[in-house]
Amino acid sequence: MSLIDARGILADTTSAARLADSGLEYRLVDFGDPVRAKAFQRAVSRGFLGEEPNAEALEHGRPPMQWRRNTGVYDPGSGDDELPVATVNSWVAPMTVPGGVEVGMWAISYVTVAATHRRRGIARALLEGELRAASSAGVPLAGLTVSEATIYGRYGFAPAIPMSRFTVDTRKAGWAGSLAAGRVEYVEKEQLAADLGTVHERARLARSGQIPGWRERWEGHTGMSPADSDRGKVRGVRYLDESGEVRGALAFTLREKGDTFRFSLSVRLLAAETPEALRALWRFALQHDLVDEVTADLRPLDDPLPWLVADPRGVTQVVHDHGWLRILDVPAALGARTYAAPLDVVIRIDDELGFATGDWLMRVDADGGTHIDAVHGEQADVSMGIAALSALYAGGVRASSLHAGGLIRAETETVDRLDRAFLALPSPSLDIWY
Ligand SMILES: CC(C)(COP(=O)(O)OP(=O)(O)OC[C@H]1O[C@@H](n2cnc3c(N)ncnc32)[C@H](O)[C@@H]1OP(=O)(O)O)[C@@H](O)C(=O)NCCC(=O)NCCS
């Protein structure tokens, strides 16, 4: 799909004015200027409590920032005019929605505020500025992955793509899965990064919530980032099907538990395009000699892992929030995806920031045709905040849960119809951080 280049969207004037009132400058950062680019990267690393990046780490981290829209906040009184006291960056990513099509999502990353400038409203200015910029560019949806789950609800974001963290006691779990034809082989890091990217790109349209990764993202998983203190530990394998085509790749590290000669295998990323590839790579990890424990995060909720072992109590599955979404344009966002059942409801949306406020008639015909129209003066069947609608959007959160939690107000029968319509199969997934 063709997407706009976020770098062309000007800095938000409302946030600029608000920060100027506090003596701060809010502006887009020219990453063609090496001094400013380096300062921005240093501020990001400091903001995330990372090490002072060396030249190699700066060089490796720069390319993905060059194609993003980087915004900094500068304090002329801070002693270093070039070092921002707050950072954020963004780009428009094609996110898969139910039905296997893509919608433009304003992806927000690198939100940091210097510890010297915290709790003065700078993050609020950044986030609201991002949402206004996205909306002005006609992008219907914003998204992020978060360090803390308490920060972004106030801006209308909601956890919409829950993921699983698995911990496997391999001796207890054993293995009961069938063997996949094809073969698993070790690959060097460069090849592993390429294979992860290839498989991820081929697989991502199968699950709502996924966005494309980028070269440095795959290189990060394979231990090629100079800033990665575990990089020496990363190994990788790939799965080739019977015809020799790569269908899956697995990056992992091994850590000895004390001096026991027993190891824990930590999955850094498992990308699989077919069930055979997934089975073969899980088997490689769980049946690895000397490995007592396998851990893997960011797996979809319907991952077959518990069904591949002899004793499912050897597998602990913890569900947690990962992908957060925020709808900005109700007709464009809701109209982009397909629905699992017909629907005819008036939804009243309350949005503190105003982007989505209103009454929306949502009709999904029996043939799947979807119509979303603003209506006035009609009785609403259901009312909710924009965060609740955003939680439902990818099809991984149940309307009945939000209703029981008091976040959706409607008759139970309406909630049931919303649930049937919004459900996405297979489970949504977002298996990378951004
Ligand atoms: C999180 C962070 C960006 C907040 O920046 P900030 O400028 O201090 O935030 P603001 O002053 O704009 O606060 C805005 C609101 O968020 C709340 N808030 C800020 N940080 C919060 C946190 N960590 N947890 C919960 N609430 C938080 C504030 O209380 C305020 O609430 P209110 O508007 O309802 O009164 C900053 O603490 C930071 O850089 N943390 C480390 C890096 C990080 O985790 N970044 C987020 C990456 S996803």
Side-chain angles (χ1 to χ4, degrees):
M1 79 181 296
S2 80
L3 296 163
I4 61 151
D5 184 341
R7 291 173 300 184
I9 311 302
L10 300 178
D12 175 63
T13 50
T14 307
S15 287
R18 198 191 301 161
L19 289 167
D21 286 345
S22 311
L24 301 170
E25 288 173 22
Y26 167 91
R27 57 172 190 256
L28 299 191
V29 181
D30 173 9
F31 253 63
D33 177 336
V35 175
R36 292 197 169 147
K38 178 180 168 184
F40 190 90
Q41 289 180 273
R42 291 181 60 220
V44 169
S45 188
R46 183 179 69 183
F48 281 121
L49 281 53
E51 291 179 8
E52 187 61 38
N54 61 25
E56 214 190 341
L58 288 167
E59 197 181 329
H60 189 264
R62 193 163 304 137
M65 300 174 85
Q66 279 166 334
W67 49 258
R68 297 181 187 179
R69 176 181 187 267
N70 299 284
T71 307
V73 177
Y74 296 83
D75 182 349
S78 69
D80 185 343
D81 287 359
E82 293 302 340
L83 192 65
V85 295
T87 62
V88 61
N89 72 21
S90 44
W91 70 102
V92 183
M95 189 187 94
T96 307
V97 293
V101 295
E102 297 168 326
V103 64
M105 181 197 71
W106 189 270
I108 301 173
S109 190
Y110 291 170
V111 178
T112 72
V113 173
T116 46
H117 288 67
R118 66 192 286 279
R119 305 304 181 269
R120 303 184 193 175
I122 297 179
R124 177 173 282 281
L126 292 181
L127 265 298
E128 292 185 7
E130 290 298 314
L131 295 178
R132 281 189 289 267
S135 176
S136 73
V139 179
L141 186 70
L144 32 71
T145 53
V146 308
S147 60
E148 294 181 90
T150 46
I151 302 174
Y152 296 104
R154 56 177 50 77
Y155 310 114
F157 286 89
I161 308 157
M163 298 297 284
S164 298
R165 181 181 300 120
F166 286 116
T167 305
V168 185
D169 175 342
T170 60
R171 288 190 281 197
K172 184 171 172 58
W175 181 257
S178 58
L179 275 183
R183 68 175 198 277
V184 174
E185 64 183 23
Y186 283 101
V187 277
E188 299 298 332
K189 287 180 177 179
E190 288 78 6
Q191 186 60 51
L192 181 63
D195 289 338
L196 285 171
T198 300
V199 174
H200 194 274
E201 189 55 25
R202 285 198 208 129
R204 73 178 170 81
L205 288 183
R207 287 184 188 269
S208 141
Q210 290 278 33
I211 63 166
W214 53 96
R215 199 187 73 182
E216 294 76 12
R217 162 55 63 231
W218 312 129
E219 290 181 355
H221 283 294
T222 58
M224 291 168 69
S225 162
D228 181 353
S229 55
D230 268 352
R231 61 187 178 278
K233 293 196 178 123
V234 182
R235 296 193 186 281
V237 290
R238 65 179 179 179
Y239 169 80
L240 306 174
D241 68 13
E242 284 169 293
S243 69
E245 185 64 39
V246 60
R247 299 290 181 196
L250 166 66
F252 62 95
T253 56
L254 289 160
R255 181 181 51 80
E256 189 174 2
K257 299 162 127 186
D259 285 329
T260 59
F261 237 112
R262 308 303 303 181
F263 288 77
S264 177
L265 186 155
S266 168
V267 172
R268 286 196 145 197
L269 184 65
L270 192 172
E273 192 187 342
T274 62
E276 292 75 25
L278 187 57
R279 282 206 303 279
L281 294 171
W282 273 136
R283 181 169 184 266
F284 171 88
L286 268 64
Q287 293 278 280
H288 199 299
D289 283 326
L290 305 181
V291 166
D292 286 353
E293 182 185 70
V294 172
T295 58
D297 200 356
L298 304 191
R299 300 301 310 161
L301 269 50
D302 59 0
D303 192 292
L305 181 60
W307 300 94
L308 293 174
V309 297
D311 183 348
R313 291 194 184 175
V315 177
T316 306
Q317 181 172 8
V318 175
V319 176
H320 61 91
D321 70 282
H322 182 56
W324 288 61
L325 295 177
R326 201 289 182 203
I327 290 174
L328 293 162
D329 181 329
V330 173
L334 294 188
R337 57 158 288 183
T338 61
Y339 295 86
L343 197 62
D344 188 352
V345 285
V346 173
I347 306 178
R348 178 161 297 160
I349 297 296
D350 174 36
D351 181 351
E352 266 184 42
L353 297 180
F355 299 107
T357 300
D359 289 355
W360 305 94
L361 171 61
M362 179 173 183
R363 275 189 294 117
V364 180
D365 305 334
D367 65 3
T370 305
H371 315 271
I372 320 283
D373 298 296
V375 289
H376 303 280
E378 294 207 18
Q379 174 85 30
D381 303 297
V382 47
S383 61
M384 63 181 98
I386 188 59
L389 186 67
S390 302
L392 291 179
Y393 183 61
V397 173
R398 298 283 76 85
S400 51
S401 307
L402 299 178
H403 179 248
L407 300 169
I408 289 181
R409 291 161 300 283
E411 298 294 330
T412 313
E413 186 265 335
T414 308
V415 174
D416 189 46
R417 285 192 286 124
L418 284 172
D419 252 343
R420 288 172 200 282
F422 275 81
L423 173 74
L425 295 173
S427 292
S429 179
L430 174 64
D431 56 5
I432 56 173
W433 286 89
Y434 65 88

